[in-house]
Amino acid sequence: MLQVWALDGIPEIAAGTDLVDTIAARVGDTLADGDILVVTSKIVSKAEGRFLTAADREEAITAETVRLVARRTAPGGHVTRIVENRLGIVSAAAGVDASNTPEGTVLLLPVDPDASARALARGLRDRLGVEVGVVISDTLGRAWREGQTDHAIGAAGIHVFEDLRGQTDAEGRPLVVTMPAVADEIAGAADLVKGKATRRPVAIVRGRGDLVGSLDLPGARSIVRPAERDMFRQGADEAYADGFAAGVASAQT
Amino acid sequence: MLQVWALDGIPEIAAGTDLVDTIAARVGDTLADGDILVVTSKIVSKAEGRFLTAADREEAITAETVRLVARRTAPGGHVTRIVENRLGIVSAAAGVDASNTPEGTVLLLPVDPDASARALARGLRDRLGVEVGVVISDTLGRAWREGQTDHAIGAAGIHVFEDLRGQTDAEGRPLVVTMPAVADEIAGAADLVKGKATRRPVAIVRGRGDLVGSLDLPGARSIVRPAERDMFRQGADEAYADGFAAGVASAQT
């Protein structure tokens, strides 16, 4: 049985808020070994003071962008940029967020979400004496599918993949290519209880204690597929345009 | 509180097995209004007799393919095709599955997973007198991220999106672009209890009864983004090659 619930009563988080204090005060003695806390990246960013003035939104996106992956101008003129940010994550607007932030400001992603997750997991383990894992989640769009789901952008103290590559299926054949990204599934499960429009940014997932382990396990960065191994490292229109230009140049020489 | 658990004791499913009978026999009287059943597409395919002989695997992939999206040859010579299948779903190998099937056979996806989900939801509602939703799940890879997560490829009696587009955030600003694909998150949550290597192909998700509704709600097909609106409708290498050829042709005329 998997149980997932959101913590009520998490107060507004400001720059400098100690999230270990805040969460420890709300969980009381309900946390148990093997629980996984899923924390919305937004409150981690707020605690880390990752605010910028809103006038800088497009600049902030540019600053957070390592590589433009795709770009589309909607009929109304609104430009959507899909970019790879400095964390390697491909998303719209580099994770620069203007919702649920004080008027006139935007929020950047945490500097290093895996490090943030590790600090939180270590702090909660020390404070409460329970071996918990931490996932830091963000809402991401997907290729090929409408809507968004929550994904793990930071993780500590958990196996982000359930590695079945040595195992066999029920017929005894090897499950060669199956590697469930359980940290993403956990982030998505937590989204089902957190809600977007309310202030319930922390959820607890209980029932997969087998995934919880050392704080030195690889973080969510290991879920990111490096661009050079990604068949979708560039939007179709952008790749076509690059190819077209190269084709013209090649024919002219 | 969200609760997710897998049904034990689901027997091997053969062509013609009545899944309503099979599931009803296992849930007893534990199902309640608002529960969502997540059924692995594999057992739906088996019940529908979607077997082909394994010699036909590459042919089966080709037959299920509407459009080649990307193709990669690994150093070892193994070819991975990412294709759009007749359901609009972009995935590796068009969902043609050779694991956990009788030796010498492969399994195709259900003919119409939304219709399969509707039949199952209607049958269980009629049989057990409870208003349940049904999601049919499949394991899919993603662009930009390693590993796989379970997604909804069929759905009935549930809202596949939690539509927040009329709502405002905690600061009163509209949540304009947020449309959580909750059916995918539900499929992923169910995967956390089902396991890949074991025979637990049915899970129950309890606690989001607000998503359960009419059997006429749009199915999982509505999650599929039409190719013409998809910035990643083609792999980067394929788009580049098409562009290059067009560029050469353009320069030569």
Side-chain angles (χ1 to χ4, degrees):
Chain A
M1 168 80 79
L2 193 77
Q3 294 176 303
V4 190
W5 69 96
L7 293 181
D8 281 320
I10 298 278
E12 186 60 33
I13 304 297
T17 299
D18 185 323
L19 288 181
V20 173
D21 281 351
T22 304
I23 293 171
R26 294 290 150 192
V27 292
D29 54 4
T30 60
L31 275 192
D33 285 342
D35 284 351
I36 300 167
L37 280 97
V38 184
V39 181
T40 302
S41 64
K42 189 185 297 277
I43 68 164
V44 178
S45 293
K46 286 183 173 179
E48 294 181 359
R50 303 277 293 152
F51 294 101
L52 271 191
T53 62
D56 295 332
R57 181 163 193 260
E58 292 303 315
E59 253 178 65
I61 295 173
T62 303
E64 292 281 293
T65 295
V66 169
R67 191 170 64 81
L68 179 69
V69 174
R71 187 176 190 281
R72 166 175 292 188
T73 306
H78 180 74
V79 175
T80 301
R81 285 189 267 175
I82 309 294
V83 303
E84 179 184 326
N85 69 14
R86 61 191 166 68
L87 301 169
I89 297 166
V90 174
S91 70
V96 175
D97 188 351
S99 69
N100 266 315
T101 55
E103 197 62 42
T105 64
V106 298
L107 200 54
L108 308 182
L109 289 178
V111 174
D112 180 348
D114 281 332
S116 305
R118 204 173 307 117
L120 201 46
R122 181 179 291 119
L124 289 166
R125 287 178 179 201
D126 288 350
R127 181 80 58 93
L128 303 169
V130 287
E131 194 185 53
V132 295
V134 170
V135 167
I136 294 176
S137 66
D138 197 18
T139 303
L140 299 176
R142 302 87 55 83
W144 319 317
R145 297 177 78 78
E146 302 286 3
Q148 304 87 32
T149 54
D150 273 16
H151 292 73
I153 67 161
I158 75 158
H159 295 267
V160 297
F161 293 109
E162 182 157 44
D163 198 337
L164 304 175
R165 283 178 300 185
Q167 297 185 31
T168 57
D169 67 17
E171 303 288 326
R173 280 167 296 190
L175 286 166
V176 277
V177 293
T178 305
M179 197 170 71
V182 283
D184 283 339
E185 293 181 329
I186 287 167
D191 188 44
L192 291 168
V193 301
K194 290 197 287 191
K196 284 278 178 299
T198 53
R199 284 204 177 99
R200 305 212 299 170
V202 182
I204 295 166
V205 175
R206 175 169 292 169
R208 286 304 308 264
D210 60 304
L211 296 173
V212 174
S214 159
L215 295 179
D216 297 326
L217 286 166
R221 178 79 201 208
S222 64
I223 306 175
V224 173
R225 180 175 293 147
E228 63 273 17
R229 299 208 294 119
D230 197 318
M231 289 188 256
F232 301 93
R233 65 190 173 280
Q234 194 180 23
D237 288 346
E238 288 73 15
Y240 184 95
D242 284 359
F244 191 93
V248 170
S250 133
Q252 286 170 343
T253 57
Chain B
M1 168 80 80
L2 193 78
Q3 294 175 302
V4 191
W5 69 95
L7 292 181
D8 281 320
I10 298 278
E12 186 62 33
I13 305 297
T17 299
D18 184 324
L19 287 181
V20 173
D21 282 350
T22 303
I23 293 171
R26 295 290 150 191
V27 293
D29 54 4
T30 60
L31 275 192
D33 284 343
D35 284 350
I36 299 167
L37 280 97
V38 185
V39 182
T40 303
S41 65
K42 189 187 297 276
I43 69 164
V44 178
S45 293
K46 286 182 173 180
E48 293 181 1
R50 302 276 292 151
F51 294 101
L52 270 191
T53 62
D56 293 334
R57 180 162 194 260
E58 291 303 314
E59 253 178 66
I61 295 173
T62 303
E64 292 281 295
T65 295
V66 170
R67 191 172 65 82
L68 179 70
V69 175
R71 188 176 188 283
R72 166 175 291 187
T73 306
H78 180 74
V79 175
T80 301
R81 285 190 266 176
I82 308 295
V83 302
E84 179 183 327
N85 69 12
R86 61 193 166 66
L87 301 169
I89 297 165
V90 174
S91 70
V96 175
D97 188 351
S99 69
N100 267 316
T101 55
E103 196 62 42
T105 65
V106 298
L107 200 55
L108 308 182
L109 288 179
V111 174
D112 180 348
D114 281 333
S116 306
R118 205 173 305 116
L120 200 47
R122 180 178 292 119
L124 289 167
R125 287 178 180 200
D126 288 350
R127 182 81 56 95
L128 302 170
V130 288
E131 194 185 51
V132 295
V134 170
V135 167
I136 295 177
S137 67
D138 197 17
T139 303
L140 300 176
R142 301 89 54 85
W144 319 318
R145 296 177 79 77
E146 302 285 3
Q148 304 87 32
T149 54
D150 272 18
H151 292 74
I153 67 162
I158 74 158
H159 295 267
V160 297
F161 293 109
E162 183 157 44
D163 198 337
L164 304 174
R165 282 180 299 185
Q167 297 186 31
T168 57
D169 67 16
E171 303 288 326
R173 280 168 296 191
L175 286 166
V176 277
V177 293
T178 304
M179 197 170 70
V182 282
D184 283 339
E185 293 182 329
I186 287 167
D191 188 44
L192 290 169
V193 302
K194 289 197 288 191
K196 285 277 178 299
T198 52
R199 284 204 177 99
R200 306 213 298 170
V202 181
I204 296 167
V205 175
R206 174 170 293 170
R208 285 305 308 266
D210 60 304
L211 296 173
V212 173
S214 159
L215 296 178
D216 296 327
L217 286 166
R221 178 79 202 209
S222 65
I223 307 175
V224 172
R225 178 176 293 147
E228 63 273 18
R229 301 209 293 119
D230 197 317
M231 290 189 256
F232 301 93
R233 66 189 172 279
Q234 194 179 23
D237 289 346
E238 288 72 16
Y240 184 95
D242 284 358
F244 191 94
V248 169
S250 134
Q252 286 170 345
T253 56

